[in-house]
Amino acid sequence: QVPPVESGGGLVQAGGSLRLTCAPSGRTISGNVMGWFRQAPGKEREFVAALADDGINSYYSDSVKNRFTISRDNAKNTVYLQMSRLKPEDTAVYYCGAMRQFGSRRGDYWGQGTQVTVSS
């Protein structure tokens, strides 16, 4: 059985924190601009954050800037999303994947997602 790509989701109160993990098997993150996306019920999937292969250059959607931090460990083939000061509107299924290019808000999704629910 193939392990899930994304993990770390759960139920948290508003103001709390969660760390999501993206650990794809069968694919390598090295060489890719990696990103996180999310899809809330009844809404389209949207871009959240992305990080270049250098692990330094990143960009975020305005709605999560200064609250979320994306990071990566190429040696572990893993990408993280540290989410702080969570709000009910952050409730969504979160996906990771490779961006089309640095600066793009579009990408290819690699997993089935992990559910994040923020209660008020």
Side-chain angles (χ1 to χ4, degrees):
Q1 191 171 2
V2 179
V5 174
E6 300 94 349
S7 62
L11 174 63
V12 63
Q13 287 189 332
S17 299
L18 279 176
R19 189 177 80 158
L20 305 184
T21 299
C22 169
S25 59
R27 297 187 190 222
T28 179
I29 69 169
S30 182
N32 286 299
V33 179
M34 294 300 298
W36 286 93
F37 308 83
R38 68 186 182 186
Q39 186 166 19
K43 295 187 177 181
E44 292 188 353
R45 198 170 302 191
E46 64 176 2
F47 165 78
V48 174
L51 179 63
D53 189 47
D54 61 9
I56 298 173
N57 292 291
S58 61
Y59 52 105
Y60 298 85
S61 68
D62 288 343
S63 60
V64 307
K65 198 175 296 182
N66 300 319
R67 297 190 298 121
F68 291 10
T69 302
I70 186 172
S71 60
R72 64 193 292 161
D73 185 336
N74 284 0
K76 294 183 178 179
N77 202 44
T78 301
V79 183
Y80 305 97
L81 185 68
Q82 178 67 48
M83 306 185 296
S84 303
R85 304 200 308 275
L86 282 160
K87 304 176 181 180
E89 50 263 45
D90 294 318
T91 295
V93 178
Y94 284 70
Y95 304 85
C96 72
M99 307 303 295
R100 300 285 171 87
Q101 60 187 26
F102 187 81
S104 172
R105 277 162 163 70
R106 304 183 71 178
D108 300 316
Y109 315 117
W110 286 8
Q112 298 301 310
T114 185
Q115 175 72 49
V116 172
T117 303
V118 184
S119 63
S120 57

